[in-house]
Amino acid sequence: MTSQQSQHDKTPSLPDAYAAAASVATGKRNAAVLAVCQGLFTCAISIDLTLTALTGWQLAPDKSLATLPFALITVAGAVVTWFAAFLIQRLGRRLSFALGAASCCAGGLISVWSVFHGHFWTFCAGTALVGVFQAFAQYYRLAAADAVTDEFKSRAISTVLTGGVIAAIIGPALAAWSKDLFPAALFSGAYLVVAAMGLLSVLVLLLFYRDMAALPAATGVQAAHAPPRPLGAIVRTPVFVASVANNVAGSMIMMFIMTAAPLAAVACHHGIDDGAAIIQWHLIGMYAPSFFAGRLIKRFGLGAVLLAGLALNLACAVTAMASTSLPAFYAALLFLGVGWNFSLVGGTTLLAQSYAPSERAKTQGFSELLRYGATALATLGAGPLLARFGWETLNAAILPVLLLCALATGRWMLAERANRPQALRGLG
């Protein structure tokens, strides 16, 4: 075969070029649609974050159960997330995501009925259904990453998370506006807004989202035509371990500190409104970096951004241990939010590079199950540990988690550095 023939064989045909361009366009469109859905989800969940503990206190037959409805959001999400991955594989993302959003609509309506009739246990069922929605919504960023090549995965993930920026501001404001919508049943109006967010998500997904095949990662996994590896083989790879370490540590630490922060602020003689403002500032920190996190990864490298996320979480702990002043709370929770964003965007980028398309469901499901399980434990444990050990000790407790995450990230970076010369030799 002549060199001209070889070059001709490598050149894509015109139909292939059109198909590739259409695939890229669909991937970008889907990322934008999922950003809107992420915003609707964040609005719904921020309303629950703001009011559910208060509603639980109002309805609970035993006040020790007041935080159960809120905890059930995370617990239900942890239970459902594994099964959601396989349902997505079977039904496709469009229909599966719409079913998840429909559960939010149902949960919101059940919560409205429960508040009107003073039923605590049906209110728990309503918040659990919102947890089901949360489980499906966590796959939005992975769906965006799977639809593009390795070069654009972090950018697609960031695009989806930008949907939370405006919602982080609007959500608490919606909660404050809607809680008195029906004076006869305090807080019921807020849960009607939660139902509306779910219904809007269903409509957006069914009208604008398009299912498309996942693209194989260019590095880190076997060829796309090879048989699927056992889950045990996947989870032992440095890229998977580093992805889980950053996703789990980032989410676990974020929920652990965020859950306790408003209570700690009040205990340190700051006002209830100060606690709410701290959380709102934290939510902005969580989502605002999505506008530039993908570009930072492209410019400085994935490893550098992951280490920056760990450093910001460390800065949160150090700031919180050094002072309990109101500016220190604001700074610590801002560091925490940005650190979570870098860890999640970077960790998700790694996760999307750790599997072939045939391995997607079990790998994503197992990773999200670990992340949700750790987050549920952090949510449930934050209040009791704060009450027993205090705010400073609570922040000190995250330091060993950060160390383990740094070790896993460093191991992956060393493995990547060792594999790079081999890849270059293969190209030669």
Side-chain angles (χ1 to χ4, degrees):
M1 181 181 292
T2 66
S3 60
Q4 289 182 341
Q5 288 174 322
S6 176
Q7 182 65 30
H8 176 74
D9 290 342
K10 293 179 182 178
T11 303
S13 65
L14 197 58
D16 288 343
Y18 279 128
S23 179
V24 170
T26 303
K28 290 181 178 179
R29 169 182 168 151
N30 280 349
V33 172
L34 291 172
V36 174
C37 293
Q38 179 73 31
L40 294 170
F41 159 71
T42 305
C43 271
I45 210 69
S46 63
I47 291 172
D48 271 290
L49 177 65
T50 305
L51 297 178
T52 295
L54 296 172
T55 308
W57 179 269
Q58 175 182 282
L59 298 179
D62 180 346
K63 299 308 179 186
S64 65
L65 298 172
T67 58
L68 179 61
F70 180 72
L72 283 174
I73 297 175
T74 304
V75 172
V79 171
V80 171
T81 189
W82 171 262
F83 303 100
F86 290 93
L87 187 66
I88 290 168
Q89 184 181 48
R90 184 176 182 85
L91 298 182
R93 293 188 177 94
R94 179 169 173 264
L95 184 55
S96 298
F97 288 162
L99 288 172
S103 71
C104 174
C105 185
L109 293 175
I110 290 171
S111 297
V112 172
W113 185 91
S114 301
V115 174
F116 264 100
H117 293 84
H119 282 217
F120 176 74
W121 295 109
T122 53
F123 179 65
C124 289
T127 59
L129 282 171
V130 175
V132 173
F133 177 44
Q134 189 176 48
F136 280 91
Q138 298 310 307
Y139 288 98
Y140 290 166
R141 71 191 200 283
L142 289 165
D146 284 340
V148 296
T149 58
D150 283 358
E151 181 183 359
F152 299 105
K153 287 187 186 299
S154 58
R155 184 75 62 85
I157 295 162
S158 293
T159 298
V160 172
L161 293 180
T162 58
V165 178
I166 297 175
I169 302 170
I170 293 177
L174 278 175
W177 167 76
S178 59
K179 66 182 177 66
D180 299 317
L181 201 57
F182 302 111
L186 186 63
F187 305 137
S188 60
Y191 295 103
L192 187 61
V193 174
V194 171
M197 295 298 105
L199 179 59
L200 284 173
S201 295
V202 172
L203 294 175
V204 169
L205 287 162
L206 293 180
L207 291 174
F208 301 110
Y209 187 81
R210 296 294 178 266
D211 278 323
M212 58 185 297
L215 298 178
T219 60
V221 296
Q222 88 280 32
H225 62 271
R229 295 168 293 172
L231 184 60
I234 298 170
V235 301
R236 288 194 295 269
T237 59
V239 64
F240 181 84
V241 173
S243 74
V244 168
N246 283 278
N247 283 328
V248 169
S251 297
M252 182 181 181
I253 289 170
M254 187 272 292
M255 286 300 295
F256 189 58
I257 301 301
M258 185 187 71
T259 302
L263 299 174
V266 172
C268 293
H269 309 294
H270 304 301
I272 294 175
D273 290 342
D274 291 327
I278 289 167
I279 292 300
Q280 191 170 37
W281 191 243
H282 165 70
L283 289 171
I284 293 170
M286 285 174 62
Y287 292 107
S290 300
F291 287 110
F292 54 82
R295 292 181 177 86
L296 289 178
I297 289 173
K298 187 174 183 179
R299 181 179 177 88
F300 298 107
L302 185 53
V305 171
L306 289 170
L307 293 177
L310 292 173
L312 285 162
N313 280 313
L314 177 62
C316 165
V318 171
T319 303
M321 289 188 289
S323 173
T324 56
S325 67
L326 190 58
F329 271 100
Y330 275 106
L333 270 292
L334 179 62
F335 290 147
L336 181 69
V338 180
W340 172 85
N341 186 283
F342 285 1
S343 294
L344 191 70
V345 172
T348 304
T349 302
L350 283 179
L351 179 61
Q353 295 175 1
S354 69
Y355 52 80
S358 60
E359 302 163 347
R360 184 186 71 207
K362 62 186 177 184
T363 308
Q364 289 183 355
F366 184 66
S367 174
E368 290 300 284
L369 179 64
L370 292 176
R371 189 170 75 90
Y372 251 113
T375 303
L377 289 175
T379 305
L380 293 171
L385 290 174
L386 175 68
R388 181 164 183 178
F389 298 107
W391 178 239
E392 292 82 2
T393 304
L394 197 76
N395 281 273
I398 72 174
L399 298 180
V401 179
L402 290 175
L403 177 60
L404 290 173
C405 187
L407 291 173
T409 303
R411 176 174 174 247
W412 165 74
M413 292 174 71
L414 289 174
E416 282 291 292
R417 188 174 300 174
N419 289 335
R420 200 171 297 136
Q422 298 177 11
L424 292 174
R425 285 197 297 270
L427 290 173

